[in-house]
Amino acid sequence: MSRPIQAHIDLSALQNNLRVARRHASSRIMAVVKANAYGHGLLRVAEALGEAEGFAMLDVRDAIALREAGFRQTILLLEGFFSADELPLIAEYELSTVIHSMHQLDMLDAYPRRSSLQVWLKINTGMNRLGFVPEQVPAAMEKLKSHPAVREITLMTHFSHADEAEGVADQLERFRSLTATYRAPRSLANSAALLRYPSSHSEWVRPGIMLYGASPFADTSAQQLGLRPVMTLSSGVISVRDVKAGDRIGYAGLFRAGTTMRIGTVACGYADGYPRHAPTGTPVLVNGQRTRTLGRVSMDMLGVDLSGIADADVGSRVTLWGAGLPVEDVASSAGTVSYELMCALTARVPIVAD
């Protein structure tokens, strides 16, 4: 028998979450599938989201893989090109590319083909990662408009606080002021803005985390938003034992039993992608009942509290996150975000999709 851990990918949940995005926005949808579709598998996710008008990712090789698999939608490289050598591939496979820096504009000047590139000009409206600062925007826009290699321009920015109380108003106003005189498609809204700020939608929206069934908000659950979890990470109990008061569990003995307890060991650890820093008390389901982790997560195993779960035994199913246990709950307990948990799933975990 194989180790009991697996990740189940619910493709119907992906399609449901795409429908939720459409109910909120009439814009064209650019589904964000970077990081191997947030750990869910690029090709299987793209197929399930085949009704989206576009896909966004980082690596030109992944973009080419989608083209060669038959996807004809707009495919956007979110960080653009990293060397001039990528430009012929971008043109050959009809990819769209972000341009966010003068360095990329300089590389574009060395590219000889005419009217071959669809570019997205990224404007820094306050995120301060990538993008042209306001003073650079007019010159960058004029250069792209007159550049012989450029066929089409889309304007874009990225919100830093769409999922928080501060919202998008300041960045949205800055973007509108900077682009008011330009006739070009626009793209601003991530998942949080798509769901909460209709005024930010423009021609393209870029949902990411919501497509995978997780809420972008701390104060609103995925279920409240109509989203369904796509990834369920599950495993099994491989050992059960009784411990007495004072016994310690796991490396460094971080958990000490305060009374007689029944505990289980689960075949899942940080080598599978479960967060090592998840503390005692991180929620898990055993036979569908909510309980908690105990002690330090090790490479291949973690401890769980079986007290009060009368039918728990070796072989009992354990849900680490997903159906019945929102990934956001686990992430919050572990002091991280749902994105990290899903993206961290390692290659040794078998994936079943249906």
Side-chain angles (χ1 to χ4, degrees), residues 9 21 53 81 96 107 124 132 150 204 216 237 275 287 293 308 333:
I9 306 299
E53 287 78 15
F81 46 93
S96 297
M107 285 191 282
N124 175 19
F132 292 93
V150 175
W204 285 96
V237 175
N287 287 349
T293 62
S333 181

Side-chain angles (χ1 to χ4, degrees), residues 7-17 40 44 48 211 228-232 323 352-354:
H8 175 249
I9 306 299
D10 183 348
L11 301 178
S12 67
L14 271 168
Q15 293 162 345
N16 170 79
N17 301 338
H40 294 67
R44 73 169 62 92
L211 295 176
R228 289 167 46 195
V230 177
M231 177 190 292
T232 296
V352 177
D354 57 31

Side-chain angles (χ1 to χ4, degrees), residues 6 14 58 65 91 151-153 158 205 243 316 341:
Q6 71 169 28
L14 271 168
L58 301 185
R151 183 167 82 243
E152 182 180 341
I153 302 170
H158 191 60
V205 291
V243 297
S316 291
L341 297 189

Side-chain angles (χ1 to χ4, degrees), residues 100 122-125 128 130-138 140 178:
H100 59 78
K122 187 162 192 176
I123 299 171
N124 175 19
T125 57
N128 288 316
L130 302 179
F132 292 93
V133 297
E135 306 80 60
Q136 296 174 316
V137 170
L178 288 167

Side-chain angles (χ1 to χ4, degrees), residues 186-245:
R186 289 157 167 75
S187 177
L188 299 89
N190 55 8
S191 290
L194 185 158
L195 291 166
R196 192 164 279 182
Y197 300 106
S199 60
S200 71
H201 290 178
S202 299
E203 284 81 5
W204 285 96
V205 291
R206 306 190 307 272
I209 193 66
M210 67 173 292
L211 295 176
Y212 305 98
S215 172
F217 307 116
D219 60 355
T220 308
S221 70
Q223 184 176 14
Q224 289 173 309
L225 295 169
L227 303 173
R228 289 167 46 195
V230 177
M231 177 190 292
T232 296
L233 180 64
S234 64
S235 190
V237 175
I238 59 173
S239 175
V240 174
R241 69 184 64 246
D242 295 316
V243 297
K244 60 183 183 298

Side-chain angles (χ1 to χ4, degrees), residues 268-347:
C268 179
Y270 60 79
D272 301 298
Y274 198 85
R276 183 178 182 271
H277 55 276
T280 290
T282 299
V284 296
L285 301 181
V286 177
N287 287 349
Q289 297 183 61
R290 191 162 174 138
T291 184
R292 58 177 179 152
T293 62
L294 300 174
R296 178 174 288 169
V297 175
S298 59
M299 183 180 289
D300 310 306
M301 292 171 280
L302 56 84
V304 294
D305 187 355
L306 300 181
S307 304
I309 306 179
D311 62 348
D313 207 339
V314 172
S316 291
R317 294 303 295 168
V318 179
T319 299
L320 287 312
W321 64 69
L325 179 61
V327 65
E328 303 98 303
D329 291 1
V330 180
S332 177
S333 181
T336 185
V337 290
S338 55
Y339 305 74
E340 181 181 6
L341 297 189
M342 293 186 286
C343 290
L345 190 72
T346 65

Side-chain angles (χ1 to χ4, degrees), residues 28-306:
R28 287 174 285 178
I29 290 180
M30 176 72 68
V32 181
V33 293
K34 61 183 178 178
N36 194 29
Y38 291 39
H40 294 67
L42 174 61
L43 291 177
R44 73 169 62 92
V45 166
E47 184 173 349
L49 298 178
E51 293 184 4
E53 287 78 15
F55 297 106
M57 62 200 65
L58 301 185
D59 195 316
V60 68
R61 292 168 297 183
D62 290 337
I64 290 171
L66 285 190
R67 279 284 183 255
E68 291 182 338
F71 293 94
R72 305 318 309 162
Q73 293 96 324
T74 298
I75 297 179
L76 175 66
L77 299 171
L78 285 168
E79 292 180 1
F81 46 93
F82 300 95
S83 72
D85 294 342
E86 291 179 321
L87 287 168
L89 290 172
I90 290 170
E92 178 183 354
Y93 287 93
E94 298 184 336
L95 308 177
S96 297
T97 178
V98 166
I99 290 184
H100 59 78
S101 70
M102 297 303 295
H103 180 62
Q104 287 175 322
L105 282 177
D106 291 341
M107 285 191 282
L108 194 63
D109 283 340
Y111 183 63
R113 291 184 57 178
R114 301 181 64 85
S115 299
S116 57
L117 298 177
Q118 299 178 71
V119 302
W120 292 46
L121 176 66
K122 187 162 192 176
I123 299 171
N124 175 19
T125 57
M127 185 74 161
N128 288 316
R129 294 190 312 188
L130 302 179
F132 292 93
V133 297
E135 306 80 60
Q136 296 174 316
V137 170
M141 187 65 176
E142 289 308 308
K143 184 164 187 175
L144 289 175
K145 285 169 63 177
S146 62
H147 202 289
V150 175
R151 183 167 82 243
E152 182 180 341
I153 302 170
T154 299
L155 301 169
M156 71 180 299
T157 194
H158 191 60
F159 294 128
S160 56
H161 292 82
D163 56 341
E164 299 177 355
E166 184 171 326
V168 303
D170 287 348
Q171 285 186 265
L172 182 58
E173 176 54 34
R174 199 169 300 139
F175 182 86
R176 286 174 171 169
S177 176
L178 288 167
T179 64
T181 61
Y182 303 132
R183 297 187 62 182
R186 289 157 167 75
S187 177
L188 299 89
N190 55 8
S191 290
L194 185 158
L195 291 166
R196 192 164 279 182
Y197 300 106
S199 60
S200 71
H201 290 178
S202 299
E203 284 81 5
W204 285 96
V205 291
R206 306 190 307 272
I209 193 66
M210 67 173 292
L211 295 176
Y212 305 98
S215 172
F217 307 116
D219 60 355
T220 308
S221 70
Q223 184 176 14
Q224 289 173 309
L225 295 169
L227 303 173
R228 289 167 46 195
V230 177
M231 177 190 292
T232 296
L233 180 64
S234 64
S235 190
V237 175
I238 59 173
S239 175
V240 174
R241 69 184 64 246
D242 295 316
V243 297
K244 60 183 183 298
D247 283 350
R248 295 185 176 188
I249 297 170
Y251 284 118
L254 293 185
F255 178 80
R256 186 194 296 268
T259 186
T260 299
M261 297 177 64
R262 191 162 180 258
I263 67 168
T265 298
V266 178
C268 179
Y270 60 79
D272 301 298
Y274 198 85
R276 183 178 182 271
H277 55 276
T280 290
T282 299
V284 296
L285 301 181
V286 177
N287 287 349
Q289 297 183 61
R290 191 162 174 138
T291 184
R292 58 177 179 152
T293 62
L294 300 174
R296 178 174 288 169
V297 175
S298 59
M299 183 180 289
D300 310 306
M301 292 171 280
L302 56 84
V304 294
D305 187 355
L306 300 181

